[in-house]
Amino acid sequence: MSEAEFISAYDRFADAIFRHCYFRISDRERAKDLVQETFCRTWAYLVKGGEIENLRAFLYRVANNLIIDTYRKKSALSLDELAESGFEPSVDAGERMLKAAEVRRAFSLLSNLDQKSRALVIMRYFDDLGPKEIAKITGETENAVSVRLNRAVGKLRNFF
Amino acid sequence: MKEFEKLSEEMKNIVLTQKERAALRFSILDFIKTNPVSSQVLLRLIFQRSIIYSWQLLALFIKKPMPILLILALILGGGGVSFAAENALPGDVLYPVKVKVNEEVVAALAFSPEAKVNWEARRLERRLEEAEHLAEKGELKAEVRERIEENFERHAGRVRVRIAEFEAKDLKAAADISSNLEVSLQAHARILAILATSTGQATTTATEVGKLLFRIKTRGDDASRLRIEIEAKVASSTQPEVKNAAEGKLKAAENKIEEVKKFIAAMQERLGEEATLEAEARLKVAENTVIEGRAKLEAKAFADAFGFFQKAHRIAQEAKLLIKAREDLKIDVRIKNDEDEEGAREEERDENENRGRGRGGIELELGL
């Protein structure tokens, strides 16, 4: 992989990775940091001679691990607490008018799920990743992913 | 779930702003530039390619007619032949594969200007390593030495040109490359000097090595001068630029020292106690140089700090090159500098004329 190819991968996937991180840790600034960290670590892996079959999945995998580390490091901000305290998601100024309400709704819905299920729902519905890819990213079996995803969806159904 | 899906669609509109994207992109690009793909990795890429790739390789890169058996070997052997060619010396059957196929493919794979010039410099080193192996075997004949010299000069010339290009648009990179070139040439000059004088050398080898050595020293002195020139240019940049350069160099120097530390640890058994101690002592000098640089950084003497960090980087790199030579060539090259450190530093500060002697000065009496 050349430098030119890699940076064009950034152009393609930056938004998606950002969005994924944002909805999982509900912090725009930290999400941006994670995007940078994800791409830099991926490049470092390539420089060391690592081979990557599916770059998109690899990026999500790195991001996923970084997010899990983030949870471990700080006493995880409970989205429940946030939702109750009238949490105002840090939507960008341009997005504020149109999206704040929907984003709050999305966060609120997601807060009803546990961390793992939330991750799966975001990957399936926000990132359009297939069950196989999700399995590779999370390191679980396709079956386990399907089962957990179905349960999560079932739970969400109650809120509509 | 349709409602959630609808909501999800909306959420896909959450993106980075232009500014945010650009800022992140810039940071990542910077990271890429400071961590270029090594030529080792690029080489491995070639070895792993399939037979189909070999066809394309041949079509693109073979300019001179090659023996048909060799072509067949490449096609059928694919990566295996490329890999085997890596140890070839001038005169070996596979040498053309090493230089005309492997090296050209890596050159083509190197996209950024930095990667290109780094590879060019590495090719220069490979020519010197080949000369060293031949000299060690006592097989460095005039004809071969001439060819190696030709190739060496060609690569050195190209690196020189690229450094000039970098001077115009990326002073930091120019500083890096010129510093690396300097240490590379000086280290190999030392190695060849040892080879010329080791016992049991046929006089023809010694003579030929001497001739090559002359070229290398000339280029080495030139590289030194260039490096000092560029450091002066860095010194005359704007304050924030010099500060930035110094901080970047500090990181680079520390990383290099770490790298060489690990290298020494890995080579410890093969090196033996004495050489290991020497190498570690050398690294200590590099670390002390970093400390001096840090002091300058604190005192906001950024240009001086930059110089110190570059020097520390060179010291560490030189140690690595000399260790490698001990291991590859089984020669007894000392990993310490014979000259007085203080004296050497003052010489360097002297911006131009008194640059007579190179470092690690082992004087040869070969009647050049």
Side-chain angles (χ1 to χ4, degrees):
Chain A
M1 158 128 350
S2 74
E3 295 149 347
E5 287 167 335
F6 188 77
I7 204 66
S8 70
Y10 167 80
D11 292 329
R12 277 174 70 200
F13 299 125
D15 280 326
I17 301 287
F18 164 70
R19 186 167 45 241
H20 179 91
C21 294
Y22 177 54
F23 278 103
R24 289 196 51 194
I25 63 173
S26 58
D27 180 332
R28 198 186 183 88
E29 284 310 306
R30 264 270 50 205
K32 280 163 29 183
D33 288 341
L34 290 182
V35 170
Q36 181 170 325
E37 193 63 37
T38 300
F39 279 94
C40 288
R41 287 202 188 195
T42 302
W43 177 254
Y45 176 80
L46 284 168
V47 162
K48 289 209 192 96
E51 294 191 38
I52 297 178
E53 262 182 54
N54 182 341
L55 185 57
R56 186 176 171 227
F58 190 89
L59 289 168
Y60 272 107
R61 184 142 192 222
V62 174
N64 185 49
N65 290 334
L66 286 171
I67 291 166
I68 292 173
D69 283 345
T70 306
Y71 279 135
R72 285 208 194 111
K73 272 188 215 158
K74 53 186 198 171
S75 48
L77 282 170
S78 158
L79 280 190
D80 305 285
E81 290 169 351
L82 285 175
E84 275 168 33
S85 67
F87 163 61
E88 189 63 42
S90 63
V91 194
D92 174 66
E95 297 164 338
R96 192 155 296 151
M97 284 294 110
L98 307 166
K99 311 233 170 51
E102 276 111 334
V103 175
R104 227 179 296 133
R105 176 132 164 79
F107 274 123
S108 161
L109 283 168
L110 290 170
S111 70
N112 295 295
L113 301 171
D114 63 278
Q115 215 200 97
K116 269 189 172 175
S117 305
R118 200 182 307 144
L120 296 185
V121 166
I122 291 172
M123 284 190 226
R124 169 72 185 79
Y125 290 98
F126 290 21
D127 303 323
D128 287 335
L129 290 163
K132 236 194 192 146
E133 288 176 296
I134 296 177
K136 273 213 177 113
I137 291 165
T138 57
E140 304 207 7
T141 63
E142 233 181 288
N143 208 30
V145 167
S146 292
V147 167
R148 193 187 287 273
L149 204 45
N150 283 328
R151 284 211 197 108
V153 165
K155 216 180 171 191
L156 285 179
R157 242 191 265 276
N158 296 329
F159 296 92
F160 286 102
Chain B
M1 270 311 279
K2 272 223 179 95
E3 288 211 35
F4 190 70
E5 278 169 355
K6 222 172 110 197
L7 190 61
S8 306
E9 277 305 309
E10 303 263 345
M11 292 305 104
K12 284 175 192 154
N13 291 319
I14 298 292
V15 293
L16 293 160
T17 66
Q18 292 268 55
K19 243 188 179 182
E20 288 170 333
R21 271 183 81 107
L24 283 172
R25 193 178 202 272
F26 186 79
S27 304
I28 292 168
L29 259 175
D30 193 62
F31 186 80
I32 290 179
K33 287 193 179 229
T34 39
N35 294 279
V37 184
S38 74
S39 46
Q40 289 280 76
V41 173
L42 287 174
L43 276 172
R44 214 182 308 156
L45 266 176
I46 310 170
F47 304 151
Q48 286 163 354
R49 297 298 193 183
S50 66
I51 291 174
I52 298 163
Y53 189 72
S54 297
W55 271 112
Q56 295 167 334
L57 272 188
L58 289 173
L60 290 172
F61 297 116
I62 308 285
K63 283 156 193 147
K64 278 205 195 133
M66 275 170 77
I68 187 76
L69 283 175
L70 193 53
I71 295 176
L72 277 175
L74 266 178
I75 297 170
L76 299 173
V81 176
S82 276
F83 186 72
E86 274 303 289
N87 289 322
L89 295 174
D92 291 349
V93 173
L94 287 179
Y95 189 67
V97 175
K98 177 182 185 182
V99 177
K100 292 189 170 50
V101 178
N102 294 357
E103 290 187 2
E104 291 296 337
V105 172
V106 175
L109 284 175
F111 279 93
S112 72
E114 285 94 338
K116 282 194 197 294
V117 68
N118 285 338
W119 179 239
E120 199 70 48
R122 181 70 195 116
R123 288 182 87 168
L124 182 163
E125 270 192 331
R126 281 157 74 99
R127 301 294 82 83
L128 297 181
E129 287 164 8
E130 287 158 10
E132 286 157 9
H133 275 104
L134 286 172
E136 194 230 345
K137 293 206 247 182
E139 288 172 16
L140 189 63
K141 302 196 181 60
E143 199 187 75
V144 179
R145 191 265 315 155
E146 264 169 30
R147 259 197 296 148
I148 289 180
E149 217 174 79
E150 250 172 78
N151 289 326
F152 164 76
E153 285 290 333
R154 195 179 54 221
H155 293 304
R158 282 200 206 136
V159 175
R160 231 10 206 88
V161 167
R162 287 204 191 266
I163 292 177
E165 287 170 10
F166 274 107
E167 264 185 276
K169 56 182 167 101
D170 187 348
L171 210 52
K172 277 202 283 177
D176 285 345
I177 301 161
S178 61
S179 185
N180 290 336
L181 182 64
E182 179 185 4
V183 67
S184 174
L185 291 170
Q186 285 174 345
H188 284 287
R190 283 183 72 168
I191 295 164
L192 280 166
I194 302 269
L195 286 167
T197 57
S198 12
T199 52
Q201 280 297 2
T203 36
T204 34
T205 306
T207 318
E208 294 307 321
V209 172
K211 290 185 183 161
L212 190 56
L213 198 52
F214 177 69
R215 290 277 184 168
I216 295 168
K217 279 196 163 175
T218 310
R219 283 278 180 186
D221 288 342
D222 181 58
S224 273
R225 252 175 278 131
L226 186 57
R227 188 260 308 166
I228 291 172
E229 228 176 74
I230 294 176
E231 274 181 5
K233 275 196 180 174
V234 171
S236 58
S237 315
T238 67
Q239 267 291 66
E241 278 173 350
V242 191
K243 177 167 192 259
N244 185 280
E247 286 168 350
K249 244 336 165 156
L250 169 58
K251 252 194 181 170
E254 287 179 332
N255 286 341
K256 179 50 94 170
I257 291 173
E258 259 317 296
E259 178 198 320
V260 181
K261 261 198 186 143
K262 289 191 183 144
F263 185 68
I264 294 174
M267 297 283 272
Q268 212 168 341
E269 276 179 39
R270 283 176 281 175
L271 274 180
E273 202 181 314
E274 200 186 337
T276 305
L277 285 173
E278 263 177 28
E280 286 172 349
R282 216 45 204 137
L283 267 193
K284 204 68 181 64
V285 173
E287 283 173 325
N288 290 337
T289 311
V290 167
I291 291 173
E292 285 184 271
R294 276 186 185 275
K296 293 287 179 183
L297 206 56
E298 289 279 323
K300 301 217 191 298
F302 299 127
D304 287 342
F306 184 79
F308 275 112
F309 297 141
Q310 280 227 115
K311 186 170 188 210
H313 193 280
R314 281 200 300 282
I315 294 174
Q317 176 65 359
E318 187 185 41
K320 185 176 183 187
L321 290 174
L322 295 178
I323 294 170
K324 265 180 149 180
R326 277 189 77 104
E327 176 52 27
D328 290 342
L329 304 168
K330 307 284 186 253
I331 56 172
D332 194 22
V333 52
R334 297 259 75 97
I335 305 166
K336 58 185 180 191
N337 197 320
D338 300 309
E339 276 189 5
D340 173 39
E341 279 295 353
E342 202 43 56
R345 217 174 299 136
E346 287 189 273
E347 269 191 30
E348 284 187 33
R349 296 280 185 67
D350 226 324
E351 298 253 274
N352 20 55
E353 279 99 43
N354 292 339
R355 271 236 116 254
R357 262 182 311 167
R359 283 166 23 121
I362 296 172
E363 305 293 343
L364 288 180
E365 281 127 17
L366 288 176
L368 284 173

